[in-house]
Amino acid sequence: MTLDQLDRGQRATVVAVDWASLAPEDAKRLRAMGLDEGASVSLAHRGMFGGADPLAVTVGRMTVALRRAHAAAMQVERA
């Protein structure tokens, strides 16, 4: 499953990222925020109306806003 498909509050581990589907500058930014293989994440909130951008994702002790397309590039396993 991908990160954008997680239920709100569900914890997971990033197992793969399709870096080729992302713009190089976006990939660099995501890595800088710790969103890479092995990261522990959870979906904190979805955008307005139950699913639109952005998604709020907790990575460690910080919460970051992600575009749905970026979250869809990340394969996760539920914890």
Side-chain angles (χ1 to χ4, degrees):
M1 88 181 318
T2 57
L3 180 54
D4 64 312
Q5 296 171 328
L6 279 180
D7 294 328
R8 187 172 168 213
Q10 178 68 52
R11 293 186 178 276
T13 300
V14 178
V15 293
V17 181
D18 182 9
W19 297 114
S21 70
L22 302 171
E25 59 274 5
D26 292 339
K28 182 178 179 180
R29 181 178 59 86
L30 293 172
R31 283 189 173 120
M33 290 189 290
L35 283 162
D36 206 345
E37 288 87 355
S40 295
V41 297
S42 65
L43 183 62
H45 299 283
R46 293 187 181 276
M48 302 258 319
F49 307 113
D53 283 341
L55 302 175
V57 177
T58 302
V59 183
R61 294 182 1 196
M62 69 177 166
T63 302
V64 297
L66 288 183
R67 293 182 178 127
R68 178 174 293 281
H70 294 161
M74 298 180 191
Q75 294 290 323
V76 297
E77 285 184 355
R78 291 182 187 175

